[in-house]
Amino acid sequence: MTTPFPFTAVVGQDDLRLALLLNAVSPAVGGVLVRGEKGTAKSTAVRALSALLPEVAVVPGCRFSCDPAAPDPACPDGPHETGPGTQRPARMVELPVGASEDRLVGALDIERALAEGVKAFEPGLLADAHRGILYVDEVNLLHDHLVDLLLDAAAMGASYVEREGVSVRHAARFLLVGTMNPEEGELRPQLLDRFGLTVEVAASREPDQRVEVVRRRLAYDDEPAAFTARWADEESSVRARIIAARALLPSVRLGDGALRQIAATCAAFEVDGMRADIVMARTATALAAWAGRTDVLAEDVRQAALLALPHRRRRNPFDAPGLDENKLDETLEEFAEQEQTQEQEPTQGPEDDDPGPDGPDGPGGGGGQSPEDDSDGPQGGDTAAQPEAGEGGEPQPSGSGEQQPVRASEPFRTKVLSVPGLGEGAAGRRSRARTEHGRTTGARRPQGALTKLHLAATVQAAAPHQLARGRAGRGLVVRRDDLRQATREGREGNLVLFVVDASGSMAARQRMSAVKGAVLSLLLDAYQRRDKVGLVTFRGSAADVALPPTSSVDAAAVRLESLPTGGRTPLAAGLLKAHDVLRVERLRDPARRALMVVVTDGRATGGPEPVALAGRAARLFAADGVASVVVDCESGPVRLGLAGQLAGELEGTAVTLDELRADSIAGLVKDVQRRAA
């Protein structure tokens, strides 16, 4: 067994270590999500935590880790008698990103269930993690159906396994810890909210600290046992402090003042729901216990807010997580002043009730706004947009001059664009596909382990052989050859490759702002449908891969926001670059189908015969059967219809910016479809 790196030997990462220790003190905090770049000791710290956790008492022989003081009455291995039980170390169970559903929740022996009526159940990782830690590395890459199961178990504290009328339920209360690299994509909001705390980690920029990190890592790699032994005293000290804090936790007093501070903070930052208030209260209590105090102080509330609120303030995937510490301090100070004022009010006379013109709300107070403040208004945060408004929508020349990037207009809900046919790619929400989840469409012989039984087809396959098999009782004699796997149809995620025209013909500020807003809207739709995205831009004399295909939709949004415009329109170069990107991606992930979205007015300039060359490039996609849509950005009273011609060469569909809106009445919802030959 590999010796884990000592928790106390981790250099720096104070917030990460504190968040993990608070969950060790009070598992009710709800786990922690660790976000950060690769190589920042995220996984090392999480795996090291398990060695510090106190042992747990379990019922002997119970596969579901029932507490002997209060055994689960519905435990599949029960019923259990109350008793002293046995002690074992707390478990940290790792959930691989590519795990199957049966591996997570457990599996039933379908053959024995049908033939013998026996609930032969093999527990999964959720049962192993009960009363311990469930750790998911790269949690943002976890498949949607596994995320759904985690959400259900976290919400109900139990796991339910249903297989064609056979049901098993067992307790599953665990500390959920996840690590992720934001560059590879974000989490679904429902799962994000299930993590009690979040921590952003980054590698230190201090040379001395980086040297110490390397020194300790090399020493551990050379002699893991000897290195761990050198940190044994520190590990024992932290373990003892966790045990002491757990014992003190029930005595910690969370007063009304602290509760009002928590409520005021959550209201000031406009977090959704009430889970943030509850998590902050539990975190502040754990902080007090960790410090050896029985009263929650304002500093505990502040630290709890820094850990519990950043990931709950995101309104869309393009918002950067984080918390404005200045605003947090102002909120807490304002609350403290209000509390102090309320405490002083009973001792004041009636003549002191009116603060007067120089009181808190007057010109000399901090609660009002002076005339000088009003004069500063035009210099506020909205001024960045004023130059754009002043320049209006005048078109820019299509020469070689580069225009400064413009802001995208507000995103909107787009129509559904899907790839035709039936795919077999990764689970998602865009195009039809054969998946493990969805509606049942038929049955087939299982290839490998049986995962979804088609009961009717299995019975139909076994029925003709009952006499030959000597059936005597009521039970059906079922052999493995009779079992049938249900084929299901659901939705898959696609690779949505954006090919964006950034040439001078697109450079009118209002026009490019609308184009960026449309692409941003499609990116938001791709995020919700669990797609991979890529971004190719073309302008001047060449095309560039602004963002290789990735699951990080917000990275694409950042690249789009800084996209400059100007120059000629090398449409053929953009299409050829996109064709090359898709060719490489087919080799990497052949099951994931592509949807190409070309955002252009259809013009092609520069080089010999640019229009004919663009047509030949477009026909490459048609020959490869790539689904495509052209977003026609042409505007004005006179339109050439070049984008429509490009869509014809691609054998795709053309939509205008107005038709792209889901609430548009310009046309029906359009799926991407090939034209009839």
Side-chain angles (χ1 to χ4, degrees), residues 500-569:
V500 180
D501 184 349
S503 65
S505 66
M506 301 279 288
R509 297 185 71 84
Q510 288 185 354
R511 183 180 181 189
M512 197 61 196
S513 177
V515 168
K516 285 188 175 183
V519 178
L520 196 64
S521 304
L522 290 166
L523 283 171
L524 183 58
D525 181 68
Y527 165 78
Q528 294 168 342
R529 299 185 187 280
R530 311 298 288 173
D531 294 317
K532 290 181 68 175
V533 296
L535 179 61
V536 172
T537 64
F538 57 94
R539 55 182 290 272
S541 59
D544 297 309
V545 181
L547 183 72
T550 176
S551 297
S552 180
V553 176
D554 51 345
V558 171
R559 304 291 173 88
L560 176 71
E561 194 68 27
S562 60
L563 178 66
T565 56
R568 295 186 178 276
T569 312

Side-chain angles (χ1 to χ4, degrees), residues 63-64 76-77 100-113 118-128 149 159-164 166-170 449-453 480:
R63 298 173 298 166
F64 302 89
D77 285 354
S100 65
E101 178 181 335
D102 287 344
R103 183 71 186 100
L104 178 62
V105 301
L108 288 168
D109 189 331
I110 301 296
E111 189 172 355
R112 290 190 63 193
V118 176
K119 292 183 181 179
F121 180 69
E122 183 66 28
L125 296 177
L126 290 180
D128 292 342
L149 293 170
S159 174
Y160 292 86
V161 183
E162 304 285 346
R163 290 292 188 276
E164 303 295 346
V166 182
S167 175
V168 173
R169 174 244 177 236
H170 64 83
L450 178 70
T451 56
K452 297 289 184 181
L453 178 74
R480 170 157 290 277

Side-chain angles (χ1 to χ4, degrees), residues 101-366:
E101 178 181 335
D102 287 344
R103 183 71 186 100
L104 178 62
V105 301
L108 288 168
D109 189 331
I110 301 296
E111 189 172 355
R112 290 190 63 193
L114 284 174
E116 304 173 26
V118 176
K119 292 183 181 179
F121 180 69
E122 183 66 28
L125 296 177
L126 290 180
D128 292 342
H130 179 48
R131 304 177 65 203
I133 300 174
L134 181 62
Y135 171 48
V136 189
D137 194 13
E138 305 294 350
V139 64
N140 51 326
L141 303 181
L142 199 63
H143 291 301
D144 272 2
H145 68 284
L146 297 182
V147 171
D148 294 337
L149 293 170
L150 276 182
L151 289 173
D152 289 342
M156 297 183 293
S159 174
Y160 292 86
V161 183
E162 304 285 346
R163 290 292 188 276
E164 303 295 346
V166 182
S167 175
V168 173
R169 174 244 177 236
H170 64 83
R173 291 182 293 275
F174 47 83
L175 186 65
L176 183 61
V177 179
T179 55
M180 60 174 283
N181 184 347
E183 295 177 356
E184 297 173 342
E186 287 294 341
L187 279 178
R188 285 170 51 184
Q190 297 94 328
L191 183 57
L192 190 64
D193 193 46
R194 284 293 172 186
F195 287 97
L197 310 179
T198 186
V199 178
E200 294 279 340
V201 297
S204 172
R205 298 298 183 258
E206 293 292 331
D208 291 343
Q209 196 172 69
R210 296 175 73 96
V211 167
E212 186 61 23
V213 169
V214 175
R215 181 181 290 118
R216 293 187 186 183
R217 186 69 209 190
L218 292 177
Y220 171 78
D221 290 341
D222 289 341
E223 296 183 55
F227 181 83
T228 303
R230 290 200 295 271
W231 292 90
D233 291 342
E234 288 82 354
E235 294 282 286
S236 297
S237 176
V238 173
R239 189 181 300 108
R241 188 175 175 184
I242 292 174
I243 295 173
R246 281 189 173 186
L248 183 62
L249 188 65
S251 303
V252 176
R253 176 180 173 273
L254 182 65
D256 290 343
L259 278 173
R260 285 195 293 269
Q261 279 183 315
I262 291 170
T265 303
C266 292
F269 284 98
E270 300 179 347
V271 296
D272 294 333
M274 295 298 297
R275 184 172 284 121
D277 303 62
I278 297 171
V279 170
M280 273 190 65
R282 290 171 173 166
T283 305
T285 304
L287 280 163
W290 179 248
R293 291 184 270 103
T294 56
D295 286 313
V296 174
L297 305 181
E299 62 193 62
D300 300 324
V301 174
R302 184 183 188 279
Q303 184 63 57
L306 292 175
L307 294 173
L309 296 188
H311 61 301
R312 293 186 166 89
R313 296 195 62 245
R314 302 189 74 185
R315 291 295 181 267
N316 64 63
F318 310 134
D319 292 338
L323 204 66
D324 186 343
E325 294 194 36
N326 292 330
K327 180 179 178 180
L328 175 60
D329 291 335
E330 291 173 2
T331 301
L332 294 176
E333 289 174 5
E334 181 181 350
F335 176 82
E337 292 173 359
Q338 292 176 355
E339 288 287 293
Q340 186 176 5
T341 302
Q342 292 176 2
E343 291 176 359
Q344 294 175 352
E345 282 179 356
T347 63
Q348 295 175 341
E351 66 275 11
D352 296 328
D353 291 343
D354 185 2
D358 293 329
D361 294 327

